Amino acid sequence: MTKSVILTGLRANNDLTLGNYFGGMLPIIEMAKARSSEYQINMFIPDLHSFTTPINHDELQTQVMNNARLFVAAGLPLDNNEIHLYRQSYISAHSELTWILDCFTGMGEMQRMTQFKDKSNKLSNDAFNATKDEQAESPLVNTAMALESAMHSSERISVGLFNYPVLMAADILLYDALYVPVGDDQTQHLEYTRDIAERMNSKFGSIFTVPLAAPKQHEFFGKGQGLRIMDLQTPSKKMSKSDESGKGVIFLSDDPKLAAKKVMSATTDDLALIAFDRKNQPGITNLLEILSLLRGTPLDDVVAEFEGHTRYGDFKKVVANEVEGFLTNFQANLSEVDDSKVLEKLESSEIAMRASANKTLLRAQRAVGLRPKE
Ligand code: TRP
């Protein structure tokens, strides 16, 4: 009997935060390890998706390898044969199936995708602001420039960004994946994947396995604890790499001593009494949560240990030390990751995955008449 497939795209970049680590990477790795005896686990690096918005192409190779190394440093095993780790672009069936699906996908369907709307708006706004900065004060010139920048921005929004979800559907359908753990921002893409799979199946007979709908995915994976590490300076907002000052954000690449300093200068409150209270003491509460994650001990235990203490400085010192130790350790792991082992894993997974992707592709090609029927 073949095993059901769990599939996920490992999006990572070079400036991951502590929030990304605990909220994204670690849960996915633990899931893979825990499920790999009963399921086939497909983890891949979506390199073709990486330039739907502009990037520096000279850095892409390094980034892809770094992406893999980060997951390995965080504990992804390379010696588990049920966990496949591969690069999307190394399996050409992804691109080929995308084209076929493109031709059965409506423009309107893609236009409705919120991620497309958000990202394309951002690109237009950036273009508009760039033009505005250069422009003269005259209102007439303003209008002309605004028009021009609107034209420019539609040139900047790539067709790739537009049909991003089609490639994502191909990623999933090629491997008959039933389970796809996705965050809320990807739910719409999963829904589209189900729609296009059902559409093709009903037009051509069964080609694709339809992945489960989002609520079923959440049931299967558990909806997390809504884990959110907050910004150290502004604990009412999520820790995010786009934060400008970077003072409230801990990056996995931070100098451990510097990160410890960030903890020491975290915003707290003037109640001078440690309590777990998201609403009234968000800063202290965030530090309690961070400490519990770093130590890997239940939050209740950490709260019990510090509740009622009055000296925030002492408590911060504990958290700061823990952060420093964690980063020192993580960075040591990262530098020890053996690139040749990573490459070996990628290449062997790619051989196996190419074979199974090509089977599905052939089914689709036969169905649409590109290959003779069996
Ligand atoms: N779009 C996903 C993200 O932004 C990454 C991704 C690409 C993916 N293809 C996928 C995730 C297929 C799951 C399945 O996070």
Side-chain angles (χ1 to χ4, degrees):
M1 224 199 70
T2 55
K3 290 175 165 177
S4 297
V5 174
I6 300 177
L7 176 141
T8 187
L10 305 179
R11 216 182 22 164
N13 47 36
N14 287 337
D15 44 3
L16 288 174
T17 68
L18 207 59
N20 299 133
Y21 178 85
F22 285 110
M25 290 172 84
L26 211 54
I28 245 353
I29 293 170
E30 312 228 294
M31 179 284 292
K33 291 202 287 200
R35 303 276 189 181
S36 67
S37 54
E38 285 172 72
Y39 297 86
Q40 177 187 317
I41 316 282
N42 282 22
M43 303 183 108
F44 72 97
I45 299 171
D47 54 353
L48 290 168
H49 274 123
S50 69
F51 49 93
T52 50
T53 54
I55 60 158
N56 181 347
H57 295 265
D58 291 335
E59 288 171 4
L60 187 51
Q61 277 301 309
T62 322
Q63 276 201 354
V64 167
M65 274 313 277
N66 246 344
N67 193 342
R69 299 171 76 236
L70 279 168
F71 277 87
V72 176
L76 184 71
L78 292 176
D79 58 358
N80 182 328
N81 289 331
E82 294 306 317
I83 302 180
H84 303 284
L85 180 67
Y86 54 99
R87 293 161 290 187
Q88 183 187 37
S89 76
Y90 281 69
I91 296 164
S92 56
H94 289 247
S95 302
E96 295 179 70
L97 183 60
T98 299
W99 176 256
I100 296 176
L101 300 180
D102 268 341
C103 298
F104 297 89
T105 298
M107 295 276 285
E109 212 172 3
M110 292 296 98
Q111 241 143 11
R112 284 196 295 277
M113 297 284 150
T114 50
Q115 180 173 303
F116 172 69
K117 289 196 264 186
D118 293 348
K119 291 201 178 178
S120 56
N121 275 336
K122 186 172 177 309
L123 285 172
S124 331
N125 289 339
D126 290 353
F128 180 72
N129 290 333
T131 322
K132 221 170 65 190
D133 288 346
E134 292 161 11
Q135 77 193 9
E137 314 244 296
S138 143
L140 251 180
V141 177
N142 271 353
T143 320
M145 304 273 283
L147 270 173
E148 197 190 328
S149 87
M151 266 171 59
H152 269 113
S153 65
S154 79
E155 290 303 319
R156 277 186 188 212
I157 299 163
S158 70
V159 175
L161 182 64
F162 186 66
N163 78 343
Y164 183 116
V166 184
L167 177 56
M168 183 161 160
D171 297 337
I172 297 170
L173 299 177
L174 280 173
Y175 303 95
D176 295 314
L178 211 47
Y179 301 100
V180 184
V182 285
D184 289 338
D185 62 331
Q186 301 296 317
T187 304
Q188 227 186 355
H189 298 164
L190 179 66
E191 276 312 310
Y192 158 73
T193 303
R194 290 168 43 79
D195 289 346
I196 187 75
E198 277 164 2
R199 188 175 312 153
M200 300 297 280
N201 287 350
S202 72
K203 194 166 168 64
F204 297 106
S206 72
I207 314 172
F208 299 121
T209 300
V210 182
L212 298 181
K216 295 262 180 236
Q217 302 285 354
H218 294 324
E219 226 170 84
F220 180 78
F221 292 106
K223 182 100 170 91
Q225 321 93 308
L227 178 75
R228 288 174 112 215
I229 291 190
M230 311 307 274
D231 187 275
L232 297 174
Q233 289 295 318
T234 321
S236 54
K237 74 173 216 238
K238 216 170 142 177
M239 185 182 280
S240 150
K241 62 173 182 240
S242 46
D243 177 72
E244 276 146 34
S245 81
K247 279 195 195 151
V249 184
I250 294 175
F251 292 99
L252 294 180
S253 55
D254 272 351
D255 170 355
K257 290 230 164 356
L258 174 77
K261 285 207 185 102
K262 290 182 185 173
V263 173
M264 292 310 292
S265 57
T267 304
T268 50
D269 53 68
D270 50 19
L271 297 173
L273 198 65
I274 295 181
F276 188 86
D277 181 345
R278 258 188 248 277
K279 190 156 163 285
N280 299 312
Q281 297 182 257
I284 286 291
T285 300
N286 189 34
L287 293 177
L288 286 165
E289 288 192 307
I290 291 175
L291 187 59
S292 133
L293 289 165
L294 289 170
R295 283 183 174 173
T297 53
L299 185 59
D300 287 349
D301 294 359
V302 173
V303 174
E305 186 180 335
F306 292 96
E307 210 165 24
H309 289 210
T310 53
R311 292 159 66 134
Y312 286 179
D314 293 350
F315 170 58
K316 280 179 167 180
K317 189 95 196 93
V318 174
V319 183
N321 280 339
E322 202 75 39
V323 165
E324 188 178 330
F326 166 80
L327 287 182
T328 308
N329 189 26
F330 181 80
Q331 291 167 10
N333 285 347
L334 188 60
S335 71
E336 276 160 25
V337 172
D338 182 343
D339 276 2
S340 66
K341 288 230 164 63
V342 176
L343 203 55
E344 219 173 87
K345 174 72 179 180
L346 289 169
E347 287 171 352
S348 67
S349 291
E350 281 153 10
I351 291 172
M353 293 300 101
R354 198 170 289 133
S356 70
N358 282 344
K359 271 194 202 155
T360 312
L361 178 64
L362 183 59
R363 271 200 321 266
Q365 289 170 324
R366 283 188 171 132
V368 301
L370 289 167
R371 296 288 181 275
K373 294 259 183 292
E374 265 182 296

